[in-house]
Amino acid sequence: MNQQGLEIYQRTAGRFGREFRYFREVGSTNDVAIAAARSGAAEGLVVVADRQSAGRGRLQRRWEAPVGSSLLMSLLFRPPEPFVFFAGRVTMLCGLSLVAAVSEVSGVATWLKWPNDLIYETADASGGWLKLAGMLSEVVLSDAGQPVALVVGLGVNVNVAAGDLPALAPNAGSLSSLTGTEVSRVHLLDTFLGEIESRYADLLCGADPVPAWRERLAWLGRPVVVQGADGIIQGIAEDIDVEGALVLRLPDGETRRFLVGDLSLRPGSY
Ligand code: ADP
């Protein structure tokens, strides 16, 4: 593994990262990976950029990152059938791989904020949290409308200076601001791809990432609010079910499932 820079990173073994495309600047790494998938690129392609001019979160919300500060990357998967089942599991194992890689490389313990963010819980009793990374999974369809690939994009705030964080989002955090030292993006990328490699192989052999995901779910057993287009719903974050839906215990004792949609989870109190 080279420690110099992302531009000459290369993996020589395994499925992920042997086909590696680095861009100094790109619109969005997901767009590059989606176009590559449409032109027949093989599973395992990794696209990385030092700057995105049109980085995005869900529903075209912006993903911002100072140049060279972050790990902005997309991975191309070609999951087997049933596609929807495996696509959901792949997104989960990307989150779990990121938790593991962040812990190994920086020592920071992180949690997964359903459905797609990596967060750090601040040590004070305020229930505070910082968003360290976001994930965006997009299904690539054939001309006939069939799913042919899954692109998972990740934006990880690695070496974003504390002073630059508020401009990204009110609760943005970075690995360097938590550790007080610079974190190698190449080391993080290489460790992450190693995790993906083994967890994806396990998935294809029948392993289920749901139990591990549940254990890493932020605010499990604690009050949360789910925010959607038609308002907010309070409850206790009780579980992630077999479909990856969030199960909320409502104040009246009933449970309600939330499938991934335009929903945001936040800590709550009642
Ligand atoms: P959420 O899951 O929190 O609803 P998204 O997954 O849609 O949000 O991500 C986009 C949002 O993330 C933006 O609206 C912005 O508030 C926030 N954001 C953008 N860039 C960053 C960043 N580098 N770090 C943390 N948060 C960011």
Side-chain angles (χ1 to χ4, degrees), residues 89 92-93 95-97 99-100 110-112 195 199 202 207-218 220 239-241:
R89 297 305 197 261
M92 285 184 194
L93 71 84
L96 288 169
S97 297
V99 169
T110 55
W111 298 90
L112 294 164
E195 290 287 338
R199 288 168 194 262
D202 290 349
D208 185 2
V210 169
W213 213 99
R214 182 183 290 130
E215 277 182 24
R216 239 31 233 180
L217 176 67
L220 183 67
D239 202 5
I240 294 292
D241 74 10

Side-chain angles (χ1 to χ4, degrees), residues 5-21:
L6 292 170
E7 61 277 11
I8 49 169
Y9 176 79
Q10 178 94 60
R11 262 174 94 82
T12 49
R15 195 186 322 232
F16 293 92
R18 274 203 285 173
E19 171 74 22
F20 183 78
R21 298 191 199 167

Side-chain angles (χ1 to χ4, degrees), residues 1-11 20-23 48-50 68 70-71 159 182-190:
M1 177 186 62
N2 107 78
Q3 286 282 1
Q4 300 306 308
L6 292 170
E7 61 277 11
I8 49 169
Y9 176 79
Q10 178 94 60
R11 262 174 94 82
F20 183 78
R21 298 191 199 167
Y22 165 83
F23 295 84
V48 167
D50 262 323
S70 304
L71 201 47
N159 295 313
E182 195 156 300
V183 173
S184 162
R185 292 184 302 160
V186 173
H187 189 194
L188 183 61
L189 171 65
D190 195 60

Side-chain angles (χ1 to χ4, degrees), residues 28 65 71 73 96 132 135 179 210 215 219 234 257 265:
S28 126
L71 201 47
M73 64 181 158
L96 288 169
L132 301 177
M135 241 188 308
T179 59
V210 169
E215 277 182 24
W219 312 308
Q234 307 203 48
R257 298 171 72 237
L265 187 67

Side-chain angles (χ1 to χ4, degrees), residues 62-78:
R62 294 271 308 163
W63 187 263
E64 309 282 355
V67 183
S69 67
S70 304
L71 201 47
L72 305 170
M73 64 181 158
S74 296
L75 280 69
L76 171 58
F77 294 88
R78 292 199 182 270

